[in-house]
Amino acid sequence: MIGILGGTFDPIHYGHLRAALELKELFELEHVRLIPCAQPVHRDSPTASALQRLEMLQLATQNQTDLIVDAQELQRAGGSYTFDTLTALRRDYPETSLLSFIGSDAFNEFTTWFRWQELFDLAHIVVITRPNTALNPLDNFFKTRLTDDRQILKQELAGRLFFQEITQLAISATTIRTLIAAQKNPRFLLPDAVLDYLSHHQLYQR
Ligand code: ATP
């Protein structure tokens, strides 16, 4: 099984890294692919360039072989669609179950995503929740796919919906950008190598 964690990663921080590792261990994954989006479809443009966000991901994961940086969305022209990304991964890994991780906020908007129903033909959808997260009620399309059995995710290649509670660190990229703009030090929220990169490239400074 392979896990997929997409995001803006503007910049990558310990919240992402800790979640990726925890998910890798919980689901006994071969690896988790961290996939930075080029042009996000559902939010404003990132502050750092695509290349900078990619380089920061590479610095953050350099000694962690089970976290793989996948630049495919940056190599494709136009907007980044999960549908295209999962289609490409399904082609590359025809015999492996794919777990596409999404945050519960994103899941509440899921039915607005491009070809969202077909995403279940390509991967399982695993919604990452915090303890006591409020979720919208599930309609029948989701209810019929819902499982709480991790073995089923392993046995089937795609098609299931799973909710996984994890301990999310209270860190966001927005907080880091805001701290830097206010000339405060975001150290210990993200790897030192990424912090050095931010200083060197004067990123997020006002
Ligand atoms: P921003 O503050 O710019 O919105 P972010 O910190 O939420 O950014 P994203 O790049 O948007 O980071 O997140 C990528 C993925 O990582 C999303 O699925 C998001 O739910 C998840 N994620 C973000 N922060 C955390 C965290 N602290 N713990 C666990 N997962 C996180």
Side-chain angles (χ1 to χ4, degrees):
M1 285 207 289
I2 291 173
I4 298 142
L5 183 65
T8 320
F9 302 112
D10 187 23
I12 175 117
H13 52 70
Y14 281 135
H16 301 128
L17 291 163
R18 186 61 220 160
L21 183 59
E22 209 171 298
L23 291 164
K24 192 247 162 195
E25 292 182 338
L26 265 167
F27 291 96
E28 300 174 344
L29 303 171
E30 288 163 40
H31 64 257
V32 175
R33 302 179 86 77
L34 302 172
I35 309 189
C37 58
Q39 188 59 52
V41 187
H42 299 283
R43 53 179 283 171
D44 296 342
S45 292
T47 307
S49 72
L51 180 64
Q52 288 171 331
R53 289 181 292 115
L54 178 66
E55 286 178 342
M56 290 190 278
L57 274 159
Q58 285 161 342
L59 287 170
T61 56
Q62 56 194 348
N63 297 318
Q64 193 69 35
T65 53
D66 45 16
L67 301 184
I68 291 182
V69 180
D70 179 340
Q72 61 161 293
E73 294 188 357
L74 305 182
Q75 286 149 5
R76 257 197 312 268
S80 297
Y81 292 96
T82 302
F83 177 79
D84 296 334
T85 303
L86 294 181
T87 300
L89 288 172
R90 180 43 72 211
R91 205 168 38 226
D92 292 346
Y93 296 97
E95 309 287 344
T96 307
S97 2
L98 299 176
L99 302 192
S100 179
F101 297 117
I102 68 171
S104 48
D105 302 356
F107 181 68
N108 284 332
E109 312 276 298
F110 188 74
T111 55
T112 66
W113 290 19
F114 178 59
R115 298 173 78 166
W116 63 274
Q117 289 166 310
E118 290 164 77
L119 299 181
F120 283 93
D121 300 332
L122 301 165
H124 300 299
I125 304 296
V126 176
V127 183
I128 311 167
T129 62
R130 296 167 195 262
N132 310 315
T133 312
L135 286 162
N136 297 342
L138 295 177
D139 71 13
N140 264 340
F141 180 88
F142 292 122
K143 272 191 200 150
T144 54
R145 286 166 175 78
L146 188 64
T147 183
D148 56 6
D149 183 352
R150 289 210 187 90
Q151 283 312 313
I152 289 184
L153 301 181
K154 213 171 255 184
Q155 288 155 9
E156 299 175 7
L157 296 183
R160 297 294 185 154
L161 174 67
F162 192 96
F163 287 86
Q164 179 61 55
E165 195 174 290
I166 58 165
T167 46
Q168 296 190 11
L169 301 176
I171 302 173
S172 70
T174 304
T175 308
I176 293 169
R177 295 194 302 272
T178 307
L179 285 171
I180 294 172
Q183 298 179 325
K184 298 214 168 98
N185 190 346
R187 193 156 182 222
F188 310 126
L189 299 177
L190 72 177
D192 283 346
V194 178
L195 189 58
D196 291 346
Y197 185 97
L198 293 179
S199 318
H200 185 251
H201 293 269
Q202 302 185 334
L203 277 166
Y204 312 126
Q205 297 174 11
R206 234 190 320 227

